[in-house]
Amino acid sequence: MSSPFGTWPSPFTPDRIAASSPRIDGAAFVGDEIWWGESVPSEGGRLTVRSSSGAEILPAPWSARSRVHEYGGGAWTADADGTLYFVDAKDQRVHRMPRGGAPEPLTPAGPAHGGLRLQNGRLFAVREDLSVDPHQRGIVEIPTDGSASDDPALLQLLVQGESFYAHPALSPDGTRASWVEWTGERMPWQHASLVLSDGLGRTELATRAALQPEWTDDGEILYADDPSGRWALHRQRVDGLHALGRAEQIDHTDADTGYGLWVLGNRWYRPLADGRIVAVRTNGRDEVVVIERDGSARRILVPADGHVSVDDVADSRVLLSGNSSTTTPGVWCVDVESGDVEVVTGGAAADPAWMPAASEFLVDGAHGRVHAFVYPPTNPSESAPEGELPPYIVLVHGGPTAHVTGAASAAIAFWTSRGIGVLDVNYGGSTGYGRSYRARLDGGWGVVDVDDVIAAARGLAGAGLADPDRIAIRGGSAGGWTVLSSLVRGGTFAAGISGYGVADLRMLSEHSHDFEAHYVEGLVGPLPEAEAVYVDRSPLTHADRIDVPVLLMQGAEDRVVPPSQSEAIRDALARRGVEHEYVLYPGEGHGFRASETIVDALERELAFLGRVFGFTPAR
């Protein structure tokens, strides 16, 4: 059937998108079962733990979510007997829940915890106390018998200070620990140290952008770092607290084993008992490999190829979670010997008749090559009138130090099945392409990202793939900043959709939490010296240049980008009579989790684009 782009009927309803978008949060071997964390959109985004036996391990209303470093991560772990340890979303205390029992607190009220790590029966966590000045963070060992639930003195401190910490790892003999730390003056992907300590002294083993220390034996530590410009695996021999010689780089592939340390639970590799390593390599998309002791590597054929986490290993089996370009997000259990792949949860094959395969799209921009993924309009029952070019949405990811991978998703199919193409851009500053690509944004936020998304959009139209008069731009958080900044620039986008987007850099700096206190300084410049730059680059300063319709959506409880940011843009547009819509969602924070919010937002976005681009969406 021939129908105009944007009017095609689609089975990908907003309700279906909300129901099909649970977030996977880690996986673990627990006895004969596999457990994984999974969000429940219909329950306000509550994070539960489920089992391959079909049981829900963590019942409502409990939710495993950490607020450490604002973005949390590593909010649950379990032992082989089926005892669950988790951070409760409400009070941020660590709780212990025996199989069949009720949760009981292990830590005192007050501080937040995250990055849980259970090793040799000993439980470690990153702790953050924002009630004191200066704020205190550290790594603690938590007694599992509950003795420290009312007495913080019974928590054993591995390290404490004003710095930030991640990835505690205990030596096999239990006498030393290693971790990653950074000061906050720079972000961890710019500078982070690998520290080795015996409780009395300490040694810094790596000082570039270290990630995820793992012990293979008492004399060897593995970690990722990027002195070559790519996060690569390294092996360091140690004797006590002394490094024996220089670290050996294990993997020399032009890809990253590592990612921006936004959350505490990600794992990009795991050593096997026989000395081999299962690792993720990222160059736009991910691949999973087994690295032999001699450095040679063999790829594991698994659907997961986006934001893959190597969550756990047991003998020759490994648990992988992540996204995929050919299936829904999921958890996979892979036997590295036989190559057998078991789908634990999710991982349903995407129907190519409805879900277009993303193709890599490269274009030359003002600052170098720009990477993106294109999803063309796809519907097995529909086609457009001859000669009509499709409207497109240019997606801008948040972060901005993050990246997209060309994953299949119902959220993408929501648009493409209706005849609206999607261009997902990894602008300069994105991870996944090495340090030089992500450093492109240093000092250039609001310039490089804008130049790159404009170059990508114009390149798409220039290739005859998109209607140049019907290209919209959409993004949230830092992506919302780029949306608004691009609309200020003008001339490319016919509309903008900003979710909790940054509008005033000075306001952002005033409201920034500790983790990102100096982030904007690296992206724009130090204050007060660069205040004029902050003012000039802020979309709010030049809101009078925005002359296309804008949809603004905002969480009422957002502490990262508070509602005042979106409301300032709303008021500026209203004063000039520019078409706009502003929606404030009660109970939502930085990112929408509740299913009713997701449904309402999608309905509003589709109706908005229909009005702007002149089509009537099918019901």
Side-chain angles (χ1 to χ4, degrees), residues 71 482 527:
Y71 298 102
T482 304
L527 286 173

Side-chain angles (χ1 to χ4, degrees), residues 435-469:
R435 179 180 278 258
S436 61
Y437 194 79
R438 68 178 187 268
R440 185 189 292 181
L441 201 62
D442 291 352
W445 196 32
V447 178
V448 172
D449 51 323
V450 173
D451 288 342
D452 284 358
V453 297
I454 288 176
R458 290 178 175 174
L460 191 74
L465 300 175
D467 183 344
D469 296 324

Side-chain angles (χ1 to χ4, degrees), residues 39 109 272 276 287 323 349 355 401 452 455 468 491:
S39 66
L272 299 174
R276 293 179 296 171
E287 67 175 15
N323 300 324
M355 182 63 231
T401 310
D452 284 358

Side-chain angles (χ1 to χ4, degrees), residues 38-77:
E38 180 180 305
S39 66
V40 187
S42 63
E43 299 178 24
R46 180 178 75 87
L47 201 294
T48 188
V49 178
R50 301 190 187 279
S51 166
S52 54
S53 67
E56 181 178 31
I57 304 301
L58 186 62
W62 297 96
S63 178
R65 192 182 301 278
S66 167
R67 291 199 302 266
V68 170
H69 303 172
E70 191 67 30
Y71 298 102
W76 70 276
T77 187

Side-chain angles (χ1 to χ4, degrees), residues 95-347:
H95 289 69
R96 174 182 183 271
M97 189 179 81
R99 187 186 291 269
E104 54 187 23
L106 298 182
T107 56
H113 301 81
L116 301 185
R117 187 80 188 271
L118 189 65
Q119 290 186 280
N120 301 332
R122 298 167 66 180
L123 181 63
F124 300 89
V126 177
R127 185 178 67 170
E128 179 179 73
D129 189 350
L130 304 183
S131 67
V132 296
D133 189 17
H135 297 163
Q136 287 288 330
R137 296 174 186 83
I139 297 175
V140 295
E141 180 178 351
I142 303 169
T144 58
D145 61 3
S147 58
S149 62
D150 295 313
D151 187 356
L154 295 179
L155 297 173
Q156 181 178 340
L157 280 171
L158 273 70
V159 62
Q160 179 172 281
E162 299 177 44
S163 295
F164 295 83
Y165 304 93
H167 294 151
L170 186 67
S171 65
D173 66 2
T175 64
R176 291 160 295 166
S178 56
W179 60 81
V180 169
E181 69 177 40
W182 63 101
T183 64
E185 297 295 324
R186 303 181 72 187
M187 301 305 288
W189 47 85
Q190 296 175 313
H191 181 273
S193 298
L194 170 63
V195 175
L196 172 64
S197 173
D198 62 1
L200 298 175
R202 54 179 277 152
T203 301
E204 293 189 1
L205 297 178
T207 58
R208 177 77 166 176
L211 289 169
Q212 193 192 333
E214 302 281 354
W215 294 77
T216 60
D217 58 44
D218 284 328
E220 183 180 85
I221 299 176
L222 302 177
Y223 63 94
D225 203 0
D226 72 341
S228 66
R230 286 284 206 174
W231 271 307
L233 288 175
H234 291 71
R235 178 184 291 117
Q236 177 67 65
R237 299 291 300 173
V238 296
D239 180 13
L241 297 183
H242 303 288
L244 299 178
R246 299 182 62 182
E248 172 195 0
Q249 182 171 328
I250 299 171
D251 194 5
H252 296 270
T253 305
D254 188 23
D256 288 319
T257 295
Y259 184 63
L261 194 55
W262 287 102
V263 298
L264 296 173
N266 291 343
R267 300 281 166 180
W268 298 277
Y269 74 95
R270 293 276 187 169
L272 299 174
D274 60 10
R276 293 179 296 171
I277 303 168
V278 178
V280 178
R281 291 172 170 173
T282 304
N283 189 33
R285 283 191 167 115
D286 294 353
E287 67 175 15
V288 183
V289 298
V290 178
I291 302 174
E292 306 290 343
R293 289 287 299 188
D294 63 4
S296 62
R298 168 176 56 87
R299 185 173 182 180
I300 299 176
L301 299 179
V302 62
D305 60 8
H307 298 305
V308 179
S309 179
V310 187
D311 291 322
D312 203 0
V313 295
D315 299 323
S316 64
R317 296 186 302 156
V318 58
L319 285 179
L320 306 171
S321 63
N323 300 324
S324 167
S325 57
T326 58
T327 75
T328 60
V331 176
W332 293 266
C333 180
V334 182
D335 190 308
V336 299
E337 295 294 349
S338 66
D340 291 342
V341 178
E342 173 193 354
V343 180
V344 179
T345 188

